[in-house]
Amino acid sequence: GGLLPPPPNLLYATNVIISKEIHASDELYSNTCSMAGQIDSKKRLNSLFPPSMHSGKFANLTLLDRREKIIEVCTESQDICDFPTYDFVIDMYNSWSGWVYHFIIETFPRIIPFLDGLLADDEMPSFAIRWGVPLKPWHRSIIEMLGLRSHPKVTNLGSETVFAKQVI
């Protein structure tokens, strides 16, 4: 019993870099509502790039072209991607998730209705949940309470930058 996982038509991007924003080919999904966060996007975009992409044949590329090149490289081969790679990531990032109230009241309600389906022992594949904040002990306690910390299908990620083949 329980609820089914989200249907595939809710999948909003494939082959993406997930940091504080979701970097898809020719698109950027930002979860920031502040002007400072939007202005800082260029700085964060630049910080996505590994040192090897700041010189040599990449030095003359624009930031967006560099991003496209990284997505292309990571899509083609996980072995040469500079970021940890996951097949399926549920991105729970909320710019205020580092605070208890926002984590409990705003972040968790977005995944709780789907837990039964996501954790069912049927054909649901393994997945990562990217919480989007450095996980403190109280985050981990809540994640454990929901059965997500030690479940064999689930990888819990903090705020690290990752590459996802599919993200919802």
Side-chain angles (χ1 to χ4, degrees):
L3 298 172
L4 296 174
N9 63 346
L10 286 180
L11 187 66
Y12 65 88
T14 59
N15 298 320
V16 299
I17 301 166
I18 308 171
S19 59
K20 286 193 176 190
E21 298 92 5
I22 308 273
H23 297 271
S25 185
D26 295 324
E27 297 181 43
L28 173 68
Y29 301 94
S30 181
N31 189 2
T32 183
C33 57
S34 71
M35 183 58 79
Q38 293 169 13
I39 290 169
D40 196 39
S41 290
K42 184 175 181 180
K43 180 179 175 185
R44 286 198 300 253
L45 178 59
N46 200 30
S47 70
L48 274 179
F49 308 122
S52 62
M53 292 203 74
H54 288 287
S55 60
K57 63 183 176 181
F58 303 112
N60 294 327
L61 296 176
T62 66
L63 291 176
L64 293 178
D65 287 341
R66 286 185 201 179
R67 179 185 72 184
E68 294 303 310
K69 189 66 177 168
I70 292 175
I71 291 171
E72 179 184 312
V73 165
C74 291
T75 300
E76 290 174 6
S77 175
Q78 294 179 25
D79 296 333
I80 57 175
C81 184
D82 286 302
F83 306 111
T85 302
Y86 298 91
D87 289 334
F88 181 55
V89 175
I90 299 171
D91 187 43
M92 300 300 296
Y93 176 70
N94 173 329
S95 57
W96 298 100
S97 289
W99 298 89
V100 175
Y101 171 83
H102 296 282
F103 194 70
I104 293 172
I105 302 301
E106 296 171 359
T107 302
F108 271 112
R110 297 188 320 198
I111 197 169
I112 288 174
F114 303 104
L115 286 179
D116 285 347
L118 289 169
L119 301 177
D121 290 326
D122 58 3
E123 296 181 24
M124 182 66 193
S126 296
F127 59 94
I129 301 174
R130 186 178 175 281
W131 298 101
V133 294
L135 297 176
K136 298 176 183 168
W138 64 265
H139 287 107
R140 295 183 192 284
S141 294
I142 296 169
I143 291 167
E144 178 67 35
M145 182 179 65
L146 292 176
L148 296 171
R149 188 167 178 194
S150 58
H151 197 283
K153 282 186 170 186
V154 181
T155 301
N156 287 286
L157 305 170
S159 58
E160 59 268 34
T161 299
V162 300
F163 180 79
K165 293 181 182 179
Q166 299 178 343
V167 64
I168 185 169

